[in-house]
């Protein structure tokens, strides 16, 4: 039943016979969340310091109702200026991306480290998902929560610019903090999961054009009227952006900016409470 519904949904979204073929091919998928940025290293101050999570088999974030709760703060003080304490990435809602694609999906947020003292920062995050294997009736009672934290340093003198390409290179991908789950079935918000599986963050790569799309979309987001005053140190184009036609792959750029705009809207609404 669930499977049939999933297929119908795939067909609706993708409008493609190919997608149905793909969905029936495997009855389990490895859902994986990888923290690509920031890393445990020293960065120069950034007006848009990227938080980037890669989702592998991203459609499983619907099945598992996956969310990431995150906070970032400077120094030892959780309420120091520049801290963000209530970040939420609801991976299963409010995000207009292609769920029939099995390509990794990147979920991003950005924060300012220019306007604050140099020194160390902490990104603390927790991934929460629902395992319905035991008893689907008890949905919501069986969540799996995994916490992690990454510390990094901000220094004008010794820092490097964040480099998403380098973070997924063969030399450094092994250090990526990653969690993987074998999703063997289930329906929206109630995924059946097998036992833990080994994460494979090295299967995600960000090439230079994908990295620059991510950062270009971030600038566009930060310069949009919705975000006025939120990212004061971003240099925005002089005239209002009317279109993103300058970018080489307009399809990708447009798709990225549409979902960023939606994410931004959702975040703004959450922040406005
Ligand atoms: C972060 O990097 C520092 C310096 O390279 C190292 O001493 C420390 O163990 C690292 N921390 C983690 C959690 O990997
Ligand atoms: C943390 O920062 C806030 C805001 O600057 C300040 O009011 C508070 O006293 C600081 N707390 C500590 C323990 O330093
Ligand atoms: C979504 O991804 C699937 C599989 O990669 C692809 O066939 C389809 O064209 C994509 N749909 C959109 C709207 O990009
Ligand atoms: C984060 O994950 C890494 C790699 O799995 C682990 O070594 C580290 O202890 C974790 N850190 C925390 C704060 O749980
Ligand atoms: C995931 O679970 C299925 C069903 O139990 C199993 O056949 C498959 O081998 C598992 N995959 C991995 C990578 O463990
Ligand atoms: C999900 O629940 C089932 C049944 O209790 C259990 O066997 C499995 O290990 C759980 N998976 C995870 C990732 O916790
Ligand atoms: C499976 O992973 C979860 C965190 O995702 C952890 O709490 C649990 O102890 C792990 N179970 C086993 C059997 O390794
Ligand atoms: C960042 O923006 C703030 C607010 O407009 C400003 O006071 C500060 O000087 C800027 N910092 C830098 C390094 O440009």
């Amino acid at each position: 039943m669930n499977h049939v519904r999933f297929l119908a949904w795939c067909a609706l979204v993708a409008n493609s016979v190919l997608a149905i073929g793909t969905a029936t091919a495997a009855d389990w998928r490895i859902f994986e969340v990888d923290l690509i940025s920031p890393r445990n290293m020293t960065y120069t101050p950034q007006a848009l310091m990227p938080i980037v999570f890669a989702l592998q088999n991203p459609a499983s974030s619907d099945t598992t109702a996956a969310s990431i709760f995150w906070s970032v703060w400077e120094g030892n003080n959780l309420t120091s200026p520049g801290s963000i304490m209530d970040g939420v990435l609801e991976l299963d809602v409010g995000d207009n991306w292609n769920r029939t694609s099995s390509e990794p999906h990147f979920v991003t947020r950005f924060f300012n480290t220019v306007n604050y003292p140099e020194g160390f920062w902490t990104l603390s995050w927790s991934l929460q998902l629902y395992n319905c294997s035991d008893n689907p009736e008890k949905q919501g009672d069986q969540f799996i929560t995994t916490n992690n934290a990454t510390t990094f340093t901000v220094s004008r003198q010794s820092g490097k610019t964040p480099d998403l390409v380098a973070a997924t290179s063969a030399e450094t991908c092994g250090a990526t903090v990653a969690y993987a789950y074998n999703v063997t079935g289930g329906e929206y918000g109630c995924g059946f999961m097998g036992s833990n599986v080994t994460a494979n963050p090295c299967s995600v790569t960000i090439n230079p054009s994908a990295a620059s799309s991510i950062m270009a979309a971030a600038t566009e987001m930060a310069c949009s009227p919705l975000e006025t005053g939120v990212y004061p140190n971003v240099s925005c184009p002089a005239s209002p952006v009317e279109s993103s036609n300058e970018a080489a792959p307009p399809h990708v750029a447009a798709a990225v900016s549409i979902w960023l705009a939606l994410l931004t809207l959702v975040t703004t609404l959450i922040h406005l409470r």
Side-chain angles (χ1 to χ4, degrees):
M1 268 304 233
N2 306 334
H3 206 59
V4 171
R5 224 151 74 193
F6 177 66
L7 291 180
W9 178 81
C10 279
L12 186 73
V13 173
N15 197 15
S16 137
V17 175
L18 196 70
I20 295 173
T22 311
T24 40
D27 50 10
W28 55 273
R29 300 165 184 237
I30 303 301
F31 176 56
E32 179 169 328
V33 177
D34 307 318
L35 179 65
I36 308 296
S37 169
R39 308 301 275 238
N40 175 24
M41 58 177 281
T42 302
Y43 295 107
T44 49
Q46 298 296 316
L48 289 172
M49 179 68 202
I51 298 173
V52 178
F53 289 99
L55 310 183
Q56 298 189 46
N57 277 315
S60 296
S61 60
D62 284 351
T63 322
T64 59
S67 299
I68 294 171
F69 301 89
W70 62 274
S71 303
V72 67
W73 65 90
E74 182 264 315
N76 278 318
N77 185 349
L78 270 62
T79 55
S80 59
S83 300
I84 300 173
M85 279 296 122
D86 54 0
V88 183
L89 299 166
E90 286 179 330
L91 305 179
D92 58 329
V93 293
D95 195 352
N96 185 24
W97 47 275
N98 185 351
R99 283 171 162 78
T100 57
S101 172
S102 57
E103 292 297 304
H105 175 66
F106 299 101
V107 178
T108 59
R109 285 292 185 274
F110 301 87
F111 61 99
N112 185 341
T113 60
V114 169
N115 224 1
Y116 308 103
E118 293 180 47
F120 75 92
W121 288 69
T122 304
L123 170 72
S124 169
W125 58 285
S126 88
L127 170 67
Q128 180 182 288
L129 20 80
Y130 293 109
N131 181 4
C132 273
S133 299
D134 268 343
N135 180 1
E137 301 302 313
K138 281 165 63 186
Q139 171 183 6
D141 290 349
Q142 304 159 125
F143 54 84
I144 301 170
T145 306
T146 308
N147 304 300
N148 207 281
T150 296
T151 302
F152 59 96
T153 304
V154 173
S155 165
R156 277 182 178 75
Q157 290 233 299
S158 58
K160 290 184 173 164
T161 307
D163 184 342
L164 302 178
V165 177
T168 59
S169 69
E171 294 75 41
T172 54
C173 63
T176 304
V177 177
Y179 298 103
Y181 303 90
N182 187 354
V183 181
T184 54
E187 62 176 41
Y188 182 87
C190 187
F192 301 152
M193 284 182 224
S195 50
N196 290 358
V197 289
T198 308
N200 185 18
C202 288
S203 66
V204 171
T205 54
I206 298 184
N207 64 27
S209 85
S212 50
S213 294
I214 288 172
M215 294 313 293
T219 302
E220 196 173 317
M221 175 277 294
C223 293
S224 81
L226 273 175
E227 296 294 309
T228 302
V230 179
Y231 302 96
N233 302 104
V234 177
S235 19
C236 294
S239 54
V241 183
E242 266 167 38
S243 68
S244 46
N245 289 347
E246 323 98 21
H251 262 81
V252 173
V256 168
S257 70
I258 287 165
W259 66 251
L260 260 171
L262 285 168
L263 283 184
T264 303
L265 181 62
V266 169
T267 312
T268 309
L269 291 172
I270 288 167
H271 281 170
L272 288 174
R273 266 173 283 256

